[in-house]
Amino acid sequence: VRQGFPEVIYCSNKPDDYLVSIYCKMFEENGEVFGTRASIHQYEIVKKKLPQVQYDEVSQILKIEKNDKKLTGRIAVCSAGTADIPVAEEAAQTAEFFGTYVDRIYDVGVSGLHRLLSKMEVIQKANCVVAVAGMEGALASVLGGLVKNPIIAVPTSVGYGASMGGLSALLTMINSCANGVTVVNIDNGFGAGYVATQINRLAGGK
Amino acid sequence: VRQGFPEVIYCSNKPDDYLVSIYCKMFEENGEVFGTRASIHQYEIVKKKLPQVQYDEVSQILKIEKNDKKLTGRIAVCSAGTADIPVAEEAAQTAEFFGTYVDRIYDVGVSGLHRLLSKMEVIQKANCVVAVAGMEGALASVLGGLVKNPIIAVPTSVGYGASMGGLSALLTMINSCANGVTVVNIDNGFGAGYVATQINRLAGGK
Amino acid sequence: VRQGFPEVIYCSNKPDDYLVSIYCKMFEENGEVFGTRASIHQYEIVKKKLPQVQYDEVSQILKIEKNDKKLTGRIAVCSAGTADIPVAEEAAQTAEFFGTYVDRIYDVGVSGLHRLLSKMEVIQKANCVVAVAGMEGALASVLGGLVKNPIIAVPTSVGYGASMGGLSALLTMINSCANGVTVVNIDNGFGAGYVATQINRLAGGK
Amino acid sequence: VRQGFPEVIYCSNKPDDYLVSIYCKMFEENGEVFGTRASIHQYEIVKKKLPQVQYDEVSQILKIEKNDKKLTGRIAVCSAGTADIPVAEEAAQTAEFFGTYVDRIYDVGVSGLHRLLSKMEVIQKANCVVAVAGMEGALASVLGGLVKNPIIAVPTSVGYGASMGGLSALLTMINSCANGVTVVNIDNGFGAGYVATQINRLAGGK
Amino acid sequence: VRQGFPEVIYCSNKPDDYLVSIYCKMFEENGEVFGTRASIHQYEIVKKKLPQVQYDEVSQILKIEKNDKKLTGRIAVCSAGTADIPVAEEAAQTAEFFGTYVDRIYDVGVSGLHRLLSKMEVIQKANCVVAVAGMEGALASVLGGLVKNPIIAVPTSVGYGASMGGLSALLTMINSCANGVTVVNIDNGFGAGYVATQINRLAGGK
Amino acid sequence: VRQGFPEVIYCSNKPDDYLVSIYCKMFEENGEVFGTRASIHQYEIVKKKLPQVQYDEVSQILKIEKNDKKLTGRIAVCSAGTADIPVAEEAAQTAEFFGTYVDRIYDVGVSGLHRLLSKMEVIQKANCVVAVAGMEGALASVLGGLVKNPIIAVPTSVGYGASMGGLSALLTMINSCANGVTVVNIDNGFGAGYVATQINRLAGGK
Amino acid sequence: VRQGFPEVIYCSNKPDDYLVSIYCKMFEENGEVFGTRASIHQYEIVKKKLPQVQYDEVSQILKIEKNDKKLTGRIAVCSAGTADIPVAEEAAQTAEFFGTYVDRIYDVGVSGLHRLLSKMEVIQKANCVVAVAGMEGALASVLGGLVKNPIIAVPTSVGYGASMGGLSALLTMINSCANGVTVVNIDNGFGAGYVATQINRLAGGK
Amino acid sequence: VRQGFPEVIYCSNKPDDYLVSIYCKMFEENGEVFGTRASIHQYEIVKKKLPQVQYDEVSQILKIEKNDKKLTGRIAVCSAGTADIPVAEEAAQTAEFFGTYVDRIYDVGVSGLHRLLSKMEVIQKANCVVAVAGMEGALASVLGGLVKNPIIAVPTSVGYGASMGGLSALLTMINSCANGVTVVNIDNGFGAGYVATQINRLAGGK
Ligand SMILES: Nc1ncnc2c1ncn2[C@@H]1O[C@H](COP(=O)(O)O)[C@@H](O)[C@H]1O
Ligand SMILES: Nc1ncnc2c1ncn2[C@@H]1O[C@H](COP(=O)(O)O)[C@@H](O)[C@H]1O
Ligand SMILES: Nc1ncnc2c1ncn2[C@@H]1O[C@H](COP(=O)(O)O)[C@@H](O)[C@H]1O
Ligand SMILES: Nc1ncnc2c1ncn2[C@@H]1O[C@H](COP(=O)(O)O)[C@@H](O)[C@H]1O
Ligand SMILES: [Mg+2]
Ligand SMILES: [Mg+2]
Ligand SMILES: [Mg+2]
Ligand SMILES: [Mg+2]
Ligand SMILES: [Mg+2]
Ligand SMILES: [Mg+2]
Ligand SMILES: [Mg+2]
Ligand SMILES: [Mg+2]
């Protein structure tokens, strides 16, 4: 537990034996364990040792979580398109694992503005808003103009052609002329959920 | 007059003598003459030969226009920030020179969404909407979701840092997930005014 | 039906269950349904529920279309090489689904100029020309100089080496010095067919 | 005053008349006025109308500030090299204008690690740390591992050669594997000071 | 005289003294001297020592040439726009200095195809065609399809926005799907004139 | 047979039926047929109809060639590393198919300069030298300084890391300060063999 | 043995027969043989002929090494994350094969600074330090400030999103403002181990 | 004196007062002072306080050096073109200031290979070779194959067009397939002189 946050395992490309052993070790030490970017295969090998482990195919999160977790404060995770949901879920579930209450507002891309506007009341209540979008990534700018608390923008690799694996969305977000927008790496839902939790805790959501 | 459009002079970097001579020749032939990207210096040298020539410092347009021009149809030119106005004016005045009626809706960037929404009634009447924006360039996507006619997106070189001279805005616009958005080169207000006129004419605005 | 256009499904990466359910729902509501970027696998799973669904392997379009569709107005879809045909067909079939009459002029790349010139008569009749090309993407510029109506340029990812997945063709087209050329994303045949239909309708092709 | 923050003027490239008039108008309305990226020339023309205006050549901030401003909470602004100080000051003075107490810790680049480590005690007290660095931009990552609150990373255009005007530092920071790091645009000290204030207020520093 | 070609001076940024001395030395040795990328200032300082030196402001070539030069063989130098003429002239005059007969065909950009087609008879007589173009650079591809001898494509830095100082034109030309096209560096008229001369000599133009 | 060159088939991604039919048609018309970038699978399907077809796994060339072909003139194809041989062979066999005599000089990369220097006598006899290299692509520059006839530089996609699929080698070659170097697309052995043949024919090798 | 270093085989993509034959030939000549980037498949085919060959799956090194090798001098190989170990091992084992004594210090990324600082005593003893890191690549800069001997920085392709296959880490390292840092290609552990050995030998470790 | 090296001042953009004061302070402390990237203006202001200061316009080095400096060991600084000499001199003079004996071998670019080869005897005596080159940067690779000690490659910003301010040369050098080549930032002569000195000292040149 560095800095009040339990360690999180980045499962991608970890060798099988090594992964199973750290899952076991961390579960033993903390009574819970949380990993991102896990494959179904990794789920299966961990389950053999830790049958209570849970896997979410959408977010690729593999975890054992304590039962009595109380979620406090309030953040919002917004996403533009259906294809951005995996990244949004990585953010939301990471924040929840760290004890943060999360409102999910999905499918509110700026090309259908009225859907987004109809959800503003709940979004404006958040201590921090995570804005997940690929393609042109305009969601963060629009939100930045509408909410008073920080926006954590997460570009996603969703798109084709000139989206360049998320670089276009990243550039859009970095160039945002709305105040209060900061950016994390492409597809880094984990990082956004982490920072959103830091802010939510500072705001009293402990 | 190629394809029903009078020839337009791209003044940038034209040698002085050459510029003055084509202004004179085109004015003689057509009774009017229109040039973009003109400097004050170019204005002054042309004025010596053609004292009636008019120069607009904002759009850098240098022209002699016929008095009785009737503007028909209807397009809208929208721009995000104050710094985008020169490009927006290049688009608007180009379209007007070609006989198109233009509504100007400036300073409606997406980080101040309510200003934009309050102008939608007039924007939605346009046969074609020119959307001019630098920085993150999200204006085109938001408009694309709100209007039923084509959007011509013009990225501008306004910005700093990762805006890369307009490339970021260009990528945003090319990746737009809103329907009906097509894109021209960075700062190419002229090109947008030209295409908007083509569409306006097809729509009956002749 | 937003803005007079039926909703279109972007099939790529949609989960099976979700895809089948929206195909069913949209067919029920509209008596027709249209999706792009569908795989053969997606065709097969949708066919189980909607046996009348039709799949075109070239364009990857998966649709049920009303029988009595009347095609009005006139656009042209031109493509440079054989390998660009899938994108050209996405554009053409999209426009047809929206009720637009389409002339297909394929294999008219600029390195064989006489083939292109021999087709100019029919191309010049179009309200809007879609120009599909990969590699160096010069087709749009050449067409821009020859036709009086708007050109929608579609760069394709066809090519190798320095084509950079279509970025070279995109840059060529964005830098076109021909008037009347606007650009959509790499391989975005759908977007081109959509805008071409908007323009065709404004031109009276309703 | 949108969202509890007084409006800030981005002076760069604003026409003289226009700049003077908004300075006057905003001073009248709010009894204070704050602008960034102002030139000495702009200082001189504004001073003619508002003799009490103050200009800081380092940060390029041009302002009239109320006397009785109370600074609350606590943030830290850290910078790597001497050349990064202008951006660091833009961040620090922006935060102070918004009422935030700021600790400045300059010249703590990672190639002289012991200087940085000797300042950690004060840095760790901050509700939010702004990390300003050009060249290779490693400061944000090192800080991310040492402090528990959010880091706002500001890449600067300081550098030469492959620094590409700050893009290298931006990429370094976006790829940071330290938790709690989010990024704003190159040289965007203002944006960092704004977000740091948002976080500081949520943390009770009001 | 390396490989049958007299040495050529690349004047750009050469210190004044150094430049004058090599002009004098080479004139003494060869009875002629030829330099590219010379400024007016460099012309003036060289003229003091070598009053017979000639300067062409368009091509920036500074030379003393033997009177009795016989031009043999035949190449064509084609250029797209007026702004490409300086580079075209660097190519043409370089080839002429090396003894090659040159046909100049300027202002034949592909957006005005009929001008180009009307000149094909003379172009097809060339042993080698130099194609100079900025912006979208499509001229090389069109020529490649029309002539049977090699095309040397010279991208120019003419353009704005996404032309990226000539990189777009370079990419267009490198991706050309026309046979017989090879490419030199942006604005490298000298290099093209050199290779065209090599080919012209091999073809018997000696 | 356009411009004295038989048509060549670019096999990559051609549908099976279509490929077989053009192989048959072209063989019928010309008594020979030549295709590049063919897969083993394509070899097998063509062989069913044209059992005499020959496939070279290294160059991926699939052809039926006339028996009595006489090779005239002389070009050299040089390559840097073992991994560049497939591209070098595409160039060499293309040139041979067009009737050019080819000297192959492989494995003469610049990091083993003495091997290259030991082969200069034969290389200098060529009417045109094709220089094939990946990684840092320095071979073309070194050759450019050593031979008097044109060098056609072919960057290859061989390499890893910052070779960026051949873009680094392409940039090296385009920036060559050696005279007489022109460049074709990454891996475009065919294009180099074509141009080398054009030059060889002009030099009398017919 | 060029320049006192035995030849090393770059196995990647070598044809099976060719690979086996050079392994045999080099073993015969030198009594040892060393190859990098070997696959398991390559291990298996070589083992058939040379049963004593050893394969390390982590570093992908395939070798037969003399028994009596004495390791002299001292270098350190440091790596940032678990995923960088394969590249670190390529560097370390290459150096060892060339006779260099190596200290391995892994998992000392800058986001966990105290781990790195606790290892400084051993690192500072090295004649040369190899710093292997992906993502943001800050390790080289931090080390550069702490050690007096040269740092060879190896960016790795470890990362996702804006890491761009290692280009971000490469840029970070090239822009390092710490003295004594030089950089090799992405993932080029071999190259780093080679140079470190050169330096170690110069320092007397022979 | 960190790590046995006296501090060096990077003069570029330092404010006048600040620069003068550190020159005075460092001269007082060390009896010598050394700065890079100094302008003539900076020379003049420093000279007022320290009349013995010496300025070299070529390398832009501004220094006071002790008289009795003994240069030991041996490195070579090689450069490709005349325009690369400023960077080469920054490297050479930096190394000399640190006590290293330097052989200068200039104007040995790879397009004139025989000049380079005629100097190999002296180059091969160096403990470390600094290779300075712009444009295509091939010098480092050629040297890498010819010398047994480390090569420090310095790309320069010399060039035009696709040289992209030195990025092309940087990529060439990073991709070098010659062993023993490592790379520093574009134009970073100082960095190369520093590392060369580190290596020279390890080799006994103290
Ligand atoms: N999806 C993710 N993206 C980025 N970083 C992550 C992610 N998941 C976990 N991490 C970070 O990676 C660290 C673990 O890395 P490792 O030691 O390689 O397992 C955790 O402490 C987190 O800081
Ligand atoms: N405009 C030019 N662009 C590229 N290379 C040139 C140009 N003009 C001359 N050169 C080459 O530069 C060499 C002279 O370079 P330098 O020794 O720096 O004067 C000549 O031999 C030509 O090969
Ligand atoms: N992992 C590696 N990365 C870069 N270069 C290597 C590597 N392994 C071996 N080499 C170099 O490649 C040369 C052999 O290349 P080749 O002749 O293609 O087998 C060796 O002499 C080394 O210089
Ligand atoms: N030309 C140069 N390029 C890169 N770094 C330099 C250069 N000259 C000096 N330096 C470094 O910059 C440091 C001084 O930076 P500063 O504290 O900004 O003056 C010195 O200690 C050197 O490490
Ligand atoms: Mg906000
Ligand atoms: Mg719309
Ligand atoms: Mg047109
Ligand atoms: Mg932290
Ligand atoms: Mg041709
Ligand atoms: Mg040559
Ligand atoms: Mg050091
Ligand atoms: Mg070597």
Side-chain angles (χ1 to χ4, degrees), chain G residues 7 12 16 27-28 38 46 68 75 106 137 144 155-156 172 177 186 188 201 206:
Chain G
E7 193 82 24
S12 175
D16 286 4
F27 176 60
E28 226 166 288
V46 171
D68 56 347
I75 70 163
Y106 291 173
T156 72
T172 306
C177 47
I186 298 161
N188 191 3
R201 289 185 186 180
K206 262 162 219 139

Side-chain angles (χ1 to χ4, degrees), chain A residues 2-3 5 194 198, chain D residues 140-151 178-181, chain G residues 111:
Chain A
R2 191 175 39 161
Q3 304 170 344
F5 287 89
Y194 189 103
Q198 286 179 314
Chain D
S141 288
V142 172
L143 280 171
L146 296 170
V147 306
K148 74 169 201 297
N149 284 329
I151 311 290
N179 296 328
V181 177
Chain G
S111 66

Side-chain angles (χ1 to χ4, degrees), chain F residues 111 136 138 141 145 162-163 168 172 175, chain H residues 111 136 138 141 145 162-163 168 172 175:
Chain F
S111 67
E136 92 277 58
S141 288
S163 77
S168 288
T172 305
N175 281 294
Chain H
S111 66
E136 93 275 60
S141 288
S163 78
S168 287
T172 305
N175 282 294

Side-chain angles (χ1 to χ4, degrees), chain G residues 174 181-184, chain H residues 151-153 155 170 173-174 181-185:
Chain G
I174 276 285
V181 177
T182 61
V183 187
V184 297
Chain H
I151 312 290
I152 312 300
L170 168 53
M173 288 163 164
I174 276 285
V181 177
T182 62
V183 188
V184 297
N185 199 357

Side-chain angles (χ1 to χ4, degrees), chain B:
Chain B
V1 183
R2 192 177 38 161
Q3 304 169 344
F5 287 88
E7 193 81 26
V8 163
I9 302 162
Y10 179 72
C11 300
S12 176
N13 287 320
K14 291 255 186 310
D16 286 5
D17 287 0
Y18 181 67
L19 189 80
V20 171
S21 75
I22 43 172
Y23 261 83
C24 290
K25 178 164 158 291
M26 287 185 60
F27 177 59
E28 225 167 289
E29 284 172 12
N30 308 318
E32 64 180 6
V33 54
F34 187 88
T36 63
R37 311 276 170 106
S39 61
I40 292 198
H41 168 75
Q42 291 179 321
Y43 166 43
E44 277 155 8
I45 57 161
V46 171
K47 195 166 56 176
K48 282 184 194 144
K49 289 275 163 152
L50 299 170
Q52 68 274 55
V53 79
Q54 289 181 312
Y55 183 62
D56 173 22
E57 270 186 61
V58 171
S59 65
Q60 294 188 275
I61 283 172
L62 183 67
K63 70 175 176 189
I64 303 172
E65 206 168 351
K66 288 181 182 158
N67 287 327
D68 56 345
K69 197 159 278 183
K70 202 167 140 260
L71 305 181
T72 62
R74 182 166 208 169
I75 70 163
V77 176
C78 303
S79 72
T82 317
D84 301 316
I85 290 179
V87 177
E89 278 301 311
E90 189 183 281
Q93 295 183 30
T94 295
E96 288 170 344
F97 183 72
F98 292 147
T100 303
Y101 175 85
V102 179
D103 281 314
R104 284 161 172 83
I105 301 103
Y106 290 173
D107 231 344
V108 288
V110 301
S111 67
L113 201 62
H114 295 301
R115 270 186 57 73
L116 175 62
L117 294 177
S118 73
K119 304 290 171 65
M120 283 316 302
E121 208 174 334
V122 62
I123 298 174
Q124 275 158 340
K125 285 190 182 128
N127 287 322
C128 178
V129 179
V130 175
V132 181
M135 304 289 289
E136 94 275 59
L139 179 61
S141 288
V142 171
L143 280 170
L146 295 171
V147 305
K148 76 168 199 297
N149 284 328
I151 311 289
I152 311 300
V154 192
T156 72
S157 55
V158 168
Y160 62 87
S163 78
M164 297 190 292
L167 276 176
S168 287
L170 168 54
L171 288 170
T172 307
M173 288 164 164
I174 276 286
N175 282 294
S176 176
C177 46
N179 295 327
V181 178
T182 61
V183 187
V184 297
N185 199 359
I186 298 162
D187 291 337
N188 191 3
F190 165 75
Y194 189 102
V195 176
T197 297
Q198 286 179 314
I199 293 171
N200 188 53
R201 288 186 186 178
L202 285 166
K206 265 163 217 139

Side-chain angles (χ1 to χ4, degrees), chain D residues 111 136 138 141 145 162-163 168 172 175, chain G residues 111 136 138 141 145 162-163 168 172 175:
Chain D
S111 66
E136 93 276 58
S141 288
S163 78
S168 287
T172 306
N175 281 295
Chain G
S111 66
E136 93 276 59
S141 287
S163 78
S168 287
T172 306
N175 282 294

